Amino acid sequence: MQALNIGQASDVSGVSAKMIRHYEAIGLIPPAHRTDAGYRLYGESEVHTLQFIRNARDLGFSIPQIGTLLELWNDRSRPSVEVKRLACDHIGELDEKIRGLQAMKATLEQLASHCHGDHRPDCPILSGLATPGMGSRAATGGPASPPASGKR
């Protein structure tokens, strides 16, 4: 593979040029080789690393977690137990997010079920959104009581 400019590396890796520059700026990837004119050049190894980052981001890993994964990926003598621990920890984080999303969905379903969706101005959805703590109860999985459909 010949050296690619940032646009070509972006196309091949699926990582936007803006994010490639960002990853370089925060040290997630090393600075790119530059032409005499200052253009960034990427080889097969760099593009492969960008694809790795893209895949990890698609799985919801954070930037610090990806940094750790990259270190482990580049250390060919590392035991896989560290990689599995990181993946299992992330699974736990995803489970927690899923529970939060399910609670939000249930709250919205409950609010929507109490809304007539007709010509009347009273709307339990808007009343619920105006209720202090409604969103935090949904995010933590707490019960959401149907709001009184009064005006403010």
Side-chain angles (χ1 to χ4, degrees):
M1 168 191 270
Q2 70 179 25
L4 304 175
N5 66 33
I6 196 167
Q8 295 165 324
S10 173
D11 290 342
V12 173
S13 68
V15 176
S16 72
K18 180 179 178 179
M19 289 309 297
I20 293 172
R21 286 187 209 93
H22 175 69
Y23 294 153
E24 183 179 323
I26 65 172
L28 193 60
I29 60 173
H33 300 288
R34 300 276 186 147
T35 66
D36 291 338
Y39 292 104
R40 291 174 169 87
L41 293 177
Y42 299 91
E44 186 173 352
S45 175
E46 290 86 5
V47 170
H48 196 200
T49 298
L50 290 169
Q51 290 168 331
F52 181 98
I53 293 168
R54 170 68 191 263
N55 291 336
R57 290 296 289 161
D58 286 349
L59 290 173
F61 284 100
S62 67
I63 295 295
Q65 289 171 321
I66 293 172
T68 301
L69 287 167
L70 283 168
E71 289 172 12
L72 292 167
W73 185 48
N74 289 317
D75 179 4
R76 303 293 186 222
S77 65
R78 53 81 180 95
S80 64
V81 67
E82 295 176 50
V83 181
K84 184 171 183 174
R85 180 195 51 76
L86 188 63
C88 289
D89 288 349
H90 187 55
I91 290 168
E93 293 167 4
L94 291 173
D95 284 338
E96 195 172 310
K97 285 181 184 179
I98 290 167
R99 283 190 295 277
L101 289 170
Q102 288 171 331
M104 284 186 246
K105 179 180 180 264
T107 298
L108 283 171
E109 287 173 337
Q110 184 177 20
L111 291 172
S113 73
H114 288 88
C115 181
H116 296 287
D118 56 18
H119 65 281
R120 293 182 289 181
D122 291 343
C123 179
I125 298 169
L126 294 176
S127 297
L129 293 173
T131 302
M134 173 62 77
S136 61
R137 284 193 302 269
T140 59
S145 53
S149 71
K151 295 183 180 179
R152 21 180 192 138

